[in-house]
Amino acid sequence: MPLPFLTADRAFDATDDVALPFDDHDHWRRPYRPGPWRVVAAALLLLLASFVLLAAMIIAFAGALSGATVCLVVAAVGIAVALRLLRMGAWVSRHGVRRVGLLLTKTVPWNQITAVRTVQQPVRWLGLPRTVQGQALVVARRQGEPIQLLTDHNADFLSRGEAFDRAADTVEAWGDEYRGV
């Protein structure tokens, strides 16, 4: 079963200099692969959910259906969180840029964006409250606060500076193409 949110687009394996090598720009695409920290966290959540499902089965065979139901709900929440973890990040299409978080998704159309740029600033380390000096890809909007799309210290790019630069350049290219620059 293919999982399209895990697969990277062919732009990462291409050696040509085309910034937007996709045939259909209407589909939302993540311009980078999910990082190892994000994949490991999701895999551990799925492993935990499998143990909870096994416990639900044992509890159901023992005759305590209310306990089995609670275990099923806990496992379903764990699976949903793991899938959402894998989906988190920046997505681009012809329509705009989308920042998918664990609980909130924010979409900004290209015509509402004034600039997409990489800046040096304090960034959160792996999404935790601790901040370190790093790079962030920031989207400046016409109205409202700027949106921080990517950082070089998040779960996708920690210790992968080259991948962050490539992803930031790709998002900036999408912005240049569709903002009319």
Side-chain angles (χ1 to χ4, degrees):
M1 178 174 104
L3 300 174
F5 53 84
L6 281 179
T7 60
D9 292 317
R10 62 184 169 191
F12 306 110
D13 300 327
T15 56
D16 54 351
D17 292 331
V18 179
L20 308 174
F22 310 109
D23 297 331
D24 186 7
H25 290 208
D26 287 329
H27 287 97
W28 289 98
R29 302 180 188 285
R30 181 184 0 219
Y32 56 90
R33 291 185 171 107
W37 290 92
R38 187 172 310 281
V39 173
V40 166
L44 289 175
L45 269 173
L46 289 173
L47 181 67
L48 179 64
S50 70
F51 285 125
V52 173
L53 285 172
L54 181 65
M57 185 183 69
I58 292 170
I59 292 170
F61 285 147
L65 293 180
S66 62
T69 304
V70 170
C71 286
L72 282 173
V73 168
V74 168
V77 168
I79 292 169
V81 169
L83 291 176
R84 189 66 180 190
L85 270 176
L86 291 173
R87 196 147 171 77
M88 287 174 59
W91 295 73
V92 292
S93 81
R94 178 187 322 257
H95 308 291
V97 65
R98 179 176 284 173
R99 182 182 176 273
V100 178
L102 187 61
L103 299 175
L104 183 69
T105 298
K106 184 172 287 207
T107 303
V108 181
W110 290 117
N111 61 6
Q112 297 296 318
I113 295 174
T114 59
V116 180
R117 63 182 179 275
T118 305
V119 296
Q120 289 282 335
Q121 67 182 31
V123 296
R124 293 170 56 178
W125 183 76
L126 286 177
L128 298 172
R130 177 179 175 223
T131 59
V132 295
Q133 189 64 29
Q135 293 183 19
L137 182 67
V138 176
V139 170
R141 301 187 295 171
R142 293 189 199 285
Q143 298 172 351
E145 295 286 322
I147 298 174
Q148 184 175 332
L149 285 180
L150 309 170
T151 68
D152 62 346
H153 285 81
N154 69 4
D156 290 320
F157 301 111
L158 189 63
S159 301
R160 296 176 57 217
E162 209 173 279
F164 172 79
D165 293 337
R166 191 171 47 244
D169 291 343
T170 303
V171 174
E172 288 173 3
W174 278 79
D176 292 343
E177 175 77 19
Y178 290 110
R179 281 185 308 115
V181 175

